[in-house]
């Protein structure tokens, strides 16, 4: 099941915060339910809650107990909602007060939880750090530093998303502005920093093929792509689509086992793409990916912000943001790689290669 964390009518613009990152309108709590549980096959909302709790939603994650964790960049806080509960059982951060210590965040973007219930928070737009807490909210430590130089493990410039592998005991960090994916173990040691094309906005780990799925936004020269990245070498082993993109401004991504990859956009009409059910097609590469069976969504929202799978998803920006992440309950089952094109080199011949395309990609609007 998908979990969507949306902003309704609160569109993030430069007028929302002052120079010290304090939100200007402290009464702008969203009246609608903003945490939505969605059937990933039909797009139907099965449950919702969260009215009057949030101002500027950003990230969402569902752990192995089906607890829902969310972040709000205006409140500078992280909230935990226990399964089937509508009031938070744990709140991290100080309401409306940005900062950088054990009790303050500054626009936290994302959160993941380990199998041992340790909480990692991506903090975020101001602080360029990952902060660790126990399940009761006790501060453990913080990791990472500000850096605009690539190739420095732990040197980050806007921590925008987190993903996790329980089997490998690794947290994957989307270093947005540097265009990097950092690997950090549970002790806070950074072991690698892999560069990808463009700015990396969202990512998730696919255990079946030991790959990171990451998405960027077009830089004007190359289209937005979903990339498969080898976590050991940093090599990009697959891309979707391989040529012209149907994506406008992808901003969130999650992998749901036995269902597929979901991609959320921050540009109107704010679709959530479902990339799944692939088939092989022996033909010359086309300029656009095959995106069939567009599904009119029954999701009653004007601005999607975050998508998660239950158990997960997270992200938001520019007022309308969709974030996606999927929670792992174990690292097995199968993943079908066929939806991704083989990465083309300059010397590759595309005329004779077998093209792989998505058969039944769907878009929820």
């Amino acid at each position: 099941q998908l979990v969507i964390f949306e902003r309704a009518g609160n569109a993030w613009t430069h007028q929302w915060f002052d120079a010290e990152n304090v939100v200007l309108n402290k009464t702008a709590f969203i009246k609608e339910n903003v945490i939505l549980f969605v059937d990933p096959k039909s797009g139907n909302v099965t449950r919702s809650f969260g009215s009057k709790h949030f101002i500027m939603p950003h990230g969402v994650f569902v752990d192995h107990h089906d607890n829902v964790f969310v972040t709000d960049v205006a409140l500078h806080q992280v909230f935990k909602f226990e399964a089937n509960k509508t009031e938070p059982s744990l709140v991290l951060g100080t309401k409306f007060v940005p900062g950088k210590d054990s009790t303050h965040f500054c626009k936290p973007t994302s959160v993941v939880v380990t199998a041992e219930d340790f909480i990692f928070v991506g903090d975020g737009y101001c602080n360029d750090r990952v902060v660790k807490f126990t399940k009761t909210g006790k501060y453990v430590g913080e990791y990472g530093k500000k850096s605009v130089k690539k190739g420095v493990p732990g040197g980050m410039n806007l921590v925008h998303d987190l993903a996790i592998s329980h089997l490998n005991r690794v947290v994957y960090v989307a270093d947005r502005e540097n265009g990097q994916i950092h690997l950090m173990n549970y002790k806070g040691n950074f072991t690698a920093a892999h560069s990808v094309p463009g700015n990396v906005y969202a990512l998730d780990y696919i255990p079946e093929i030991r790959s990171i799925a990451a998405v960027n936004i077009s830089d004007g020269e190359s289209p937005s792509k979903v990339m498969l990245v080898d976590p050991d070498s940093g090599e990009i082993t697959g891309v979707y689509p391989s040529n012209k993109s149907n994506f406008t401004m992808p901003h969130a991504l999650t992998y749901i086992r036995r269902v597929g990859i979901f991609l959320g956009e921050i540009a109107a009409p704010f679709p959530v793409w479902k990339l799944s059910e692939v088939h092989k097609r022996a033909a010359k590469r086309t300029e656009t990916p095959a995106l069939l069976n567009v599904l009119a969504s029954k999701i009653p929202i004007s601005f999607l912000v975050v998508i998660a799978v239950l158990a997960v998803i997270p992200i938001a920006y520019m007022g309308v943001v969709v974030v996606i992440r999927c929670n792992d309950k174990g690292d097995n089952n199968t993943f079908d790689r066929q939806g991704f094109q083989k990465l083309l080199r300059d010397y590759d011949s595309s005329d004779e290669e077998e093209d792989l395309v998505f058969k039944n990609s769907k878009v929820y609007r």
Side-chain angles (χ1 to χ4, degrees), residues 188-307:
N189 299 317
F190 288 89
T191 59
H194 300 317
S195 294
V196 297
N199 296 340
V200 57
Y201 275 72
L203 74 175
D204 204 358
Y205 182 71
I206 302 178
E208 293 87 341
I209 59 171
R210 296 193 68 252
S211 290
I212 303 164
V215 66
N216 63 8
I217 286 184
S218 173
D219 58 6
E221 297 181 0
S222 59
S224 302
K225 295 180 183 294
V226 177
M227 300 163 283
L228 293 181
V229 182
D230 185 295
D232 297 322
S233 66
E235 179 185 2
I236 299 175
T237 60
V239 293
Y240 177 81
S242 61
N243 296 305
K244 184 178 178 180
S245 178
N246 276 40
F247 309 137
T248 303
M249 293 187 71
H251 202 260
L253 178 149
T254 194
Y255 168 63
I256 306 180
R257 262 179 232 220
R258 299 178 181 174
V259 180
I261 291 176
F262 285 75
L263 185 73
E265 297 207 42
I266 59 173
F270 318 117
V272 178
W273 296 94
K274 177 183 178 182
L275 310 179
S276 63
E277 297 184 48
V278 301
H279 77 292
K280 294 183 178 181
R281 180 166 65 89
K284 189 173 181 178
R285 294 184 188 277
T286 58
E287 285 301 308
T288 58
L291 295 171
L292 309 178
N293 298 338
V294 174
L295 179 66
S297 175
K298 297 179 182 177
I299 302 174
I301 45 186
S302 57
F303 293 101
L304 282 179
V305 169
V306 184
I307 300 181

Side-chain angles (χ1 to χ4, degrees), residues 61-66 113 164 166 204 254-255 257 308-313 325-330:
F61 182 88
V62 185
D63 70 8
H64 53 291
H65 303 298
D66 287 343
V113 181
I164 191 168
H166 300 303
D204 204 358
T254 194
Y255 168 63
R257 262 179 232 220
V309 216
L310 209 133
V312 149
I313 305 179
R325 182 163 319 298
C326 178
N327 182 48
D328 295 334
K329 288 190 175 181

Side-chain angles (χ1 to χ4, degrees), residues 52-86:
K52 300 179 182 179
H53 280 76
F54 307 103
I55 293 179
M56 194 59 65
H58 196 280
V60 56
F61 182 88
V62 185
D63 70 8
H64 53 291
H65 303 298
D66 287 343
N67 300 314
V68 178
F69 290 78
V70 298
T71 73
D72 188 305
V73 296
L75 299 176
H76 304 289
Q77 290 180 304
V78 178
F79 301 84
K80 172 188 175 182
F81 293 87
E82 294 180 3
N84 300 314
K85 300 293 180 63
T86 59

